[in-house]
Amino acid sequence: MSPLTRTTAVVLGLLAPALVALTGCNGQSVADHPDDPKPRASATGVALPAPRSAPAPAPTLSPAPDKGDVRIEDGPFTDRMRLTGLTLTNKSTVTGHLAITSDVSDVLALELRAAYYDSRGRLLGTGTFQYQEEGEDAHGSDHHDGPRAAGDGIDFTVPAKHLTGTPAAAVVSIPVLVNE
């Protein structure tokens, strides 16, 4: 065998395992491991975590609420606003007024949730109030007709949906607040 043929054979002998490693071929077929539960590796991107959402309301209130009691659930935005005039109406609705206390910027998006409870503190259902500024007001125009943190604030009504009984109390939470 000539030196050139011997060198070529050595190079091919070294390249063959490298090509097998690069292509993922291992000499085994799927039939060799039919019960292998592991999925094959893919070249897809890294999975991102699911977006966070507001926690579900507590299934029971402790201590049991007084009739007409409306509580404010402590959350990430409760120190930036003042909720006043909270009332549970006889129409299974929470009404009130919200004013931003942390700054004087416009409210761009707001979500209030109310969890409704019976007199023994059992969850009966929930409701949501949503506000989203739209149009030119959302782009910082000098003219502004919507709710302002620096002004009077926002009156809100949170109607209950799909109740399983008559509510005696409610807990209000603020899962979304976006202001300039």
Side-chain angles (χ1 to χ4, degrees):
M1 187 183 267
S2 74
L4 184 58
T5 306
R6 198 174 301 148
T7 303
T8 303
V10 169
V11 169
L12 287 175
L14 293 173
L15 283 177
L19 288 173
V20 168
L22 288 174
T23 61
C25 297
N26 61 6
Q28 297 178 349
S29 69
V30 174
D32 292 338
H33 296 285
D35 297 333
D36 190 2
K38 294 186 222 170
R40 299 273 181 207
S42 67
T44 59
V46 176
L48 298 175
R52 290 177 38 164
S53 62
T60 58
L61 284 181
S62 181
D66 293 331
K67 182 155 179 65
D69 190 17
V70 179
R71 300 176 186 177
I72 301 170
E73 183 176 332
D74 194 28
F77 305 116
T78 52
D79 63 339
R80 295 174 46 192
M81 65 185 60
R82 182 177 55 250
L83 293 167
T84 56
L86 293 174
T87 305
L88 176 61
T89 70
N90 60 0
K91 296 181 181 179
S92 301
T93 299
V94 170
T95 60
H97 185 79
L98 176 140
I100 306 296
T101 59
S102 62
D103 55 32
V104 293
S105 62
D106 297 336
V107 174
L108 301 177
L110 172 68
E111 182 177 320
L112 299 172
R113 291 188 188 163
Y116 295 90
Y117 294 89
D118 67 11
S119 60
R120 295 193 313 183
R122 293 179 302 194
L123 181 64
L124 299 174
T126 62
T128 303
F129 167 85
Q130 293 180 331
Y131 170 83
Q132 177 134 7
E133 190 171 300
E134 296 178 11
E136 287 187 31
D137 291 339
H139 301 293
S141 169
D142 290 337
H143 176 69
H144 190 285
D145 294 327
R148 298 182 59 89
D152 296 333
I154 302 169
D155 290 322
F156 62 87
T157 300
V158 187
K161 304 278 185 190
H162 312 292
L163 291 178
T164 59
T166 303
V171 175
V172 175
S173 62
I174 304 112
V176 176
L177 172 64
V178 179
N179 55 335
E180 293 179 339

